[in-house]
């Protein structure tokens, strides 16, 4: 049985980390390495106490390595930012090698498309939006890239309940 304290941490760390990453990406167009490091370290500390068995923890790390490999290729091709690649990698570890990982990655793709369209629309209408008095972060108006950390965070919020570690932690409340 998972202790209530461990369950609270398991259910909080990834969503809070994703929220901080999204806000940072929106405002500064960067995701600090510390956020990804905290998310990964928290998984490594909490997973053994959450009810996941060692093979599941190992496969979670394999999932992270596979996602990192793809993200590294996208980073090398200048398609994805380094912070986005690290955030997506450490988030994948929380989902493990499971159907929930595929659900998360597909959600990232769909949400990323929607976020991209909204940001491109905002950029095309930035003068009108700011004339109305709605302040926009400079990163949204002037940057050439898309703050994809926002999409990763939203997809994480939408799908985290499917992750095995979430399922184990939520049982502490029954």
């Amino acid at each position: 049985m998972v202790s209530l304290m461990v369950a609270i941490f398991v259910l909080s760390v990834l969503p809070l980390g994703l929220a901080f990453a999204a806000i940072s990406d929106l405002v500064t167009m960067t995701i600090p390495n510390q956020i990804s490091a905290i998310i990964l370290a928290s998984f490594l500390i909490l997973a053994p106490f959450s009810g996941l068995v060692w093979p599941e923890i190992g496969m979670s790390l394999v999932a992270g390595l596979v996602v990192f490999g793809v993200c590294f290729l996208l980073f090398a091709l200048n398609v994805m930012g380094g912070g986005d690649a690290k955030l997506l990698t450490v988030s994948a570890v929380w989902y493990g090698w499971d159907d929930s990982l595929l659900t998360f990655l597909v959600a990232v793709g769909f949400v990323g498309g929607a976020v991209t369209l909204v940001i491109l629309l905002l950029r095309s209408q930035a003068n009108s939006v700011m004339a109305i008095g709605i302040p926009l972060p400079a990163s949204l108006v002037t940057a050439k890239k898309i703050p994809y950390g926002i999409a990763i965070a939203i997809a994480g919020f939408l799908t985290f309940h499917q992750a095995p570690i979430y399922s184990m932690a939520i049982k502490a409340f029954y």
Side-chain angles (χ1 to χ4, degrees), residues 3-172:
S3 78
L4 191 58
M5 187 61 74
V6 169
I8 290 169
F9 278 116
V10 166
L11 299 174
S12 303
V13 169
L14 182 61
L16 285 173
L18 290 172
F20 283 121
I23 292 166
S24 177
D25 207 14
L26 174 65
V27 175
T28 67
M29 293 294 287
T30 59
I31 299 171
N33 290 335
Q34 294 89 337
I35 293 174
S36 295
I38 289 168
I39 292 171
L40 179 59
S42 297
F43 175 83
L44 295 173
I45 292 167
L46 293 170
F49 300 104
S50 70
L52 291 181
V53 293
W54 288 107
E56 287 176 303
I57 295 169
M59 290 309 290
S60 290
L61 297 175
V62 168
L65 285 172
V66 170
V67 170
F68 176 75
V70 173
C71 287
F72 184 79
L73 176 65
L74 294 173
F75 173 74
L77 296 171
N78 203 28
V79 174
M80 177 179 259
D84 300 328
K86 289 178 269 188
L87 183 63
L88 194 58
T89 297
V90 299
S91 297
V93 170
W94 282 75
Y95 286 86
W97 194 262
D98 184 81
D99 291 343
S100 64
L101 177 62
L102 181 60
T103 303
F104 168 64
L105 295 174
V106 168
V108 168
F110 281 115
V111 173
V115 167
T116 299
L117 290 174
V118 167
I119 289 173
L120 292 176
L121 179 65
L122 276 174
R123 285 181 184 162
S124 72
Q125 302 297 317
N127 291 335
S128 300
V129 172
M130 289 189 293
I132 295 172
I134 300 173
L136 293 176
S139 61
L140 282 184
V141 179
T142 59
K144 299 290 182 206
K145 296 187 176 185
I146 302 295
Y148 217 75
I150 297 168
I152 296 168
I154 293 170
F157 300 151
L158 293 173
T159 62
F160 185 45
H161 68 280
Q162 295 180 22
I165 195 167
Y166 179 99
S167 299
M168 299 298 266
I170 202 72
K171 291 177 185 174

